[in-house]
Amino acid sequence: MGRCLTFSTSGELIRVPSEAVVIITADGNYSVVSLADGSEYVVNLQLGQIERKLMDFVTDNDNRFIRIGKKLIVNREYISYINPARQKLIVSDCRTFKHEATASREALKALKEYLEQEERL
């Protein structure tokens, strides 16, 4: 197991392997952390706070987490489908789980272009 992300609230402690985090979705002043096993945890952190936590957590050559627009952070290893025109994103391991999310056309277009450019390198 790799390094664990830790989320601490007044009543609980959540520790999850970073590679198990599939998608993190903003929900007002809270965020929903969805894992590869299908479980979800609601944490009392805004998405920007989680993004800063991830930046402190990851190393220079670990860029698996990508912020998409105002409401999503995804683990790039699980991105399986992007359709900017339909504002649709699917993250999946193509076997056991599939999460669908929406984001702005601009954010998804930028993500698609970024991943296409990365593939060419």
Side-chain angles (χ1 to χ4, degrees), residues 7 41 66 90:
F7 304 99
Y41 296 98
I66 301 174
I90 296 177

Side-chain angles (χ1 to χ4, degrees), residues 15-121:
R15 290 184 73 234
V16 295
S18 61
E19 66 271 7
V21 176
V22 175
I23 190 168
I24 304 168
T25 310
D27 187 10
N29 287 330
Y30 296 89
S31 296
V32 179
V33 180
S34 301
L35 304 182
D37 69 0
S39 59
E40 294 184 336
Y41 296 98
V42 177
V43 296
N44 63 348
L45 296 170
Q46 294 177 337
L47 204 60
Q49 293 170 299
I50 291 179
E51 184 178 28
R52 286 188 293 280
K53 183 186 242 332
L54 290 172
M55 293 305 144
D56 291 341
F57 178 81
V58 298
T59 61
D60 290 337
N61 39 334
D62 179 0
N63 59 351
R64 83 180 83 179
F65 295 105
I66 301 174
R67 174 86 182 248
I68 302 172
K70 296 180 180 180
K71 298 201 175 236
L72 298 173
I73 296 174
V74 298
N75 185 332
R76 69 188 302 125
E77 296 173 13
Y78 294 114
I79 295 171
S80 62
Y81 179 82
I82 302 168
N83 186 325
R86 295 174 66 198
Q87 296 180 283
K88 186 174 182 179
L89 171 72
I90 296 177
V91 289
S92 172
D93 69 351
C94 299
R95 282 170 275 170
T96 58
F97 72 88
K98 175 179 163 182
H99 293 278
E100 292 188 24
T102 59
S104 72
R105 283 181 178 85
E106 297 78 22
L108 290 176
K109 184 178 182 219
L111 174 64
K112 180 180 176 288
E113 290 169 358
Y114 174 76
L115 293 176
E116 286 172 338
Q117 180 178 1
E118 194 175 70
E119 287 294 317
R120 287 185 219 121
L121 298 177

